[in-house]
Amino acid sequence: MRRTRGHRWAGRAAALLAGALVALALPGAGLGWLAWCGLVPMLLLLARAESARDAAWRGWAAAVGFTLVAHHWLVPHLGVFTVPALAVAGLFWLPFGIAAHAVLRAPLTTPRAALALVWLPCVWVVLEVVRSWHHLGGTWALLGLSQWQVRPALGVASLGGVWLLSGVLVAVNVGLACAVSSGARPGPRVLGVGGALLVAVASLGYGASRPEPPSAGVVHIAGVQPGIVSDSVAEHLRLTRQLAGSGADVVVWGQSSVPLDPARHPRLAAELRRAAGWAGGHLLVNVDARGQDGRITKATHHYRPDGLAGTYRKQRLAPFGEYVPLRPLLGPLLGHTDAPEVDRASGAGLTLLAVDGVRLGPLISYESTFPDLRRALAARGADVTVVQGSLTTFHGSWAQRQQAAAEAVRAAESGRAAVLVNSSGTSAAFDALGRPLAWHGPGERGAFVVTVPRHTGLPPYVRWGDTVPVLAAVVAVAGVVALARPPRSLLLPCAVRANRGWRRGPARSENTPRGPAP
């Protein structure tokens, strides 16, 4: 019994390390190639679990390892809440652990290997979609984001969003796991290798063959990145003045760059109008303050020399960063953390800002990670999407690279160039194919100007929407039904064994009467 218990915990510890290995594929560590094979150790551990219960524990442990490495920069800010947060995060891989054990356990048969190649990627996608609910922390650290520098892979995102890209990566890993599974016969091995190659070649081939997206001119966008300073507004104004004569059409400041409501401070509003005239005649600032309605919001304000031209209020707020869920219950427990003392209020909907005939789609920081918001802006007619960010709290961490890298995937999904301007962090810009147009790391200070193409046409992901998660959910449910009431092809090995037993006849007992001798 002790040996069995020790073996179980050894397997769970190994799963913890296997999950941590997968996280190294994400931006930050930068081992993007690992996403194509890094799930294999975890899949083999799940297949070799003693039972479905043990597989669930291993799936939970793998998720904890993955989350701890991918979000290690959050640990100092979570404090004593790190353990419960990791425990909850582990629940999202628990069903995947059970599913992988159900189809990959020994002896691996060809029908179950075929089912695994289709079903497990769908289960993974469904779980990624569920954990991406904005009240649970959003779409940070999805597996598909690991491919932000692989242009052919980004073509897959234009077809079905980051969800399809994650599914492709899991399918390749499942195929490789089938190929190296211990005890597997030649059939499952050949099917695994063939399936992995087929999925990889077809996906990358589609992405590599994508034509250059059409464009209708360019727009020159200037970003101001002052870093961590004591007087944010004064430094932003100083750097904006330096952009005079730069050819910029619009100047963008990062998130929370203005800590006062200009409507309640006429002198500040006059300075912003004047700054709009210094370069291009258009200025986007971000106001994080209590407004005239008494609510604290984070909002994009579009200024021209003649006044305020438009606003956008942030819709999706970061839990525990901009509001506290269940504040009456959890609020008293968060006094020693960085959780906000007052909840921000969310905005009502998306909007477009007109800059000399160019329609800009604004988003604010945390919102940039959600594919559906970017897709909606493109569908509404945005020529370029602009994100105002600030990662001062996580300065120098993986968070800055992860946020900037996600813009490449968002650009490919939406078919629109994406520009991210961070007050303190990494600012970046990408065209509709995910190719970098600008990259300014957290150590850089100053202002920059990037020439951004105005792409036209809409990729399939914008036209079709989130069909991939819907289809994945259908296949995931169908797989559960198939395993609960398996078709004859899945029961065939059991039927063969039963038939052999019938031919041998029942075992005789001492009390079985013997017939007369022939």
Side-chain angles (χ1 to χ4, degrees), residues 318-467:
F320 300 101
E322 293 166 329
Y323 78 100
V324 175
L326 304 174
R327 180 176 285 277
L329 176 64
L330 300 178
L333 305 176
L334 301 174
H336 64 288
T337 69
D338 295 328
E341 296 181 0
V342 180
D343 292 345
R344 268 58 177 174
S346 59
L350 298 173
T351 188
L352 300 179
L353 304 176
V355 175
D356 296 335
V358 179
R359 294 162 296 186
L360 300 182
L363 292 172
I364 301 173
S365 193
Y366 174 67
E367 295 180 319
S368 68
T369 67
F370 294 95
D372 63 307
L373 294 180
R374 205 71 61 106
R375 189 186 73 240
L377 285 172
R380 290 188 179 195
D383 298 307
V384 177
T385 62
V386 176
V387 177
Q388 296 171 300
S390 176
L391 288 173
T392 303
T393 304
F394 309 110
H395 191 76
S397 71
W398 284 11
Q400 295 174 327
R401 188 173 182 86
Q402 288 173 354
Q403 183 192 36
E407 289 300 296
V409 183
R410 299 289 90 83
E413 290 171 334
S414 64
R416 294 294 180 267
V419 179
L420 166 67
V421 176
N422 258 309
S423 297
S424 174
T426 298
S427 297
F430 299 88
D431 69 4
L433 290 178
R435 295 175 298 200
L437 304 173
W439 185 274
H440 298 271
E444 299 184 42
R445 304 287 183 269
F448 61 90
V449 180
V450 56
T451 301
V452 180
R454 297 169 52 193
H455 296 291
T456 59
L458 297 175
Y461 178 62
V462 176
R463 298 196 305 268
W464 300 342
D466 282 325
T467 56

Side-chain angles (χ1 to χ4, degrees), residues 7-88:
H7 176 74
R8 289 172 185 166
W9 284 107
R12 294 163 191 176
L16 183 79
L17 297 176
L21 175 69
V22 178
L24 298 180
L26 297 172
L31 303 179
W33 58 268
L34 193 59
W36 295 92
C37 59
L39 281 172
V40 172
M42 184 186 77
L43 290 169
L44 295 179
L45 286 168
L46 295 173
R48 295 170 185 172
E50 296 179 0
S51 63
R53 181 178 178 180
D54 186 34
W57 272 104
R58 292 187 182 194
W60 179 87
V64 169
F66 175 86
T67 305
L68 185 59
V69 173
H71 300 279
H72 67 274
W73 39 272
L74 277 174
V75 173
H77 305 278
L78 289 173
V80 296
F81 292 96
T82 299
V83 173
L86 289 174
V88 172

Side-chain angles (χ1 to χ4, degrees), residues 71-276:
H71 300 279
H72 67 274
W73 39 272
L74 277 174
V75 173
H77 305 278
L78 289 173
V80 296
F81 292 96
T82 299
V83 173
L86 289 174
V88 172
L91 298 177
F92 292 101
W93 284 17
L94 188 149
F96 185 80
I98 298 174
H101 176 73
V103 290
L104 295 178
R105 69 185 187 279
L108 181 61
T109 63
T110 301
R112 280 199 281 112
L115 178 62
L117 282 167
V118 177
W119 186 49
L120 290 183
C122 292
V123 173
W124 182 280
V125 168
V126 170
L127 295 175
E128 278 201 337
V129 171
V130 172
R131 80 166 178 85
S132 296
W133 186 38
H134 63 279
H135 291 299
L136 294 175
T139 55
W140 213 282
L142 300 182
L143 186 62
L145 297 177
S146 64
Q147 303 305 297
W148 70 281
Q149 290 179 301
V150 183
R151 305 298 163 245
L154 289 179
V156 178
S158 73
L159 186 63
V162 68
W163 318 117
L164 180 59
L165 186 49
S166 289
V168 165
L169 293 170
V170 174
V172 172
N173 277 273
V174 170
L176 295 177
C178 291
V180 300
S181 178
S182 61
R185 295 181 179 181
R189 294 185 187 277
V190 173
L191 180 63
V193 173
L197 286 175
L198 178 63
V199 172
V201 171
S203 302
L204 297 179
Y206 170 81
S209 63
R210 287 181 66 205
E212 191 78 18
S215 62
V218 298
V219 58
H220 304 284
I221 299 178
V224 177
Q225 185 172 306
I228 302 175
V229 293
S230 57
D231 192 339
S232 176
V233 174
E235 185 64 11
H236 276 91
L237 289 171
R238 185 184 70 82
L239 294 173
T240 301
R241 185 185 291 273
Q242 295 178 2
L243 290 168
S246 64
D249 298 307
V250 57
V251 180
V252 182
W253 296 4
Q255 179 185 215
S256 303
S257 48
V258 178
L260 301 172
D261 182 13
R264 303 172 67 180
H265 296 80
R267 181 177 298 180
L268 174 59
E271 290 180 338
L272 296 177
R273 291 195 302 270
R274 185 164 56 252

